[in-house]
Amino acid sequence: MSSKILVTYATCTGSTVGVAEAIGKALADQGAQVDVRPMAEVDDLTPYAAVVAGSAIQSKQWLPEAMQFVQTHRTTLAQRPVAAFLVCMTLAMKNGEKYRPFVADFMQPVRALVKPVSEGLFAGALDISKVPYGQARLMFRISVLFGVWKEGDHRDWDAINAWAESLGPLLLPD
């Protein structure tokens, strides 16, 4: 097995891609070989010594394709270090930090399948034009109107990079 790390993600509107890329860059800056790929493009985990898996949150859950990825690769993931992250607009709400324990519970279905060595919880970005049509878009429009959320990028790059930097020794201990 190599010492390569896979950073893989599922996204709905694109902000999870940026988080995954930042994590991959931080790990690469520590000297790791890193691939950053959407979960839908990953069939084989054999080339990887460790995995960082993340998903956007929709309806208090990892996206279905992200849960399917973890379920499909559960046996292989149990044989290597895994870190998990989520990107959730609840953390972008006014006083969002007080919702951190609530949002952390969204990881429970993932924890039931794998045992992450670390978990990252991050706010996302809200561009209503990227939210799929239907109930979700309407909910976000109303929420913005009432001041629950603001459109814009709410990702805390310092927190994302700090978490990513902490992963090196956990994923590839020497």
Side-chain angles (χ1 to χ4, degrees), residues 20-126:
E21 289 170 345
I23 292 166
K25 182 181 181 319
L27 290 167
D29 288 348
Q30 295 178 55
Q33 286 185 293
V34 182
D35 287 340
V36 179
R37 298 177 56 202
M39 288 176 177
E41 294 180 7
V42 178
D43 295 321
D44 182 15
L45 298 180
T46 307
Y48 303 103
V51 176
V52 179
S55 177
I57 295 296
Q58 193 171 54
S59 301
K60 303 177 188 170
Q61 300 176 44
W62 267 33
L63 295 175
E65 60 268 33
M67 286 307 302
Q68 184 61 53
F69 174 88
V70 175
Q71 181 65 46
T72 299
H73 297 287
R74 180 181 185 181
T75 302
T76 307
L77 291 169
Q79 299 167 356
R80 49 192 43 77
V82 175
F85 71 94
L86 60 76
V87 178
C88 180
M89 283 305 297
T90 300
L91 295 171
M93 292 171 65
K94 187 176 183 179
N95 301 315
E97 282 303 308
K98 77 178 184 181
Y99 297 105
R100 198 172 253 323
F102 172 72
V103 170
D105 284 345
F106 302 165
M107 279 288 198
Q108 192 53 45
V110 177
R111 288 185 209 118
L113 297 171
V114 297
K115 303 297 179 222
V117 297
S118 184
E119 295 178 7
L121 310 175
F122 309 111
L126 178 58

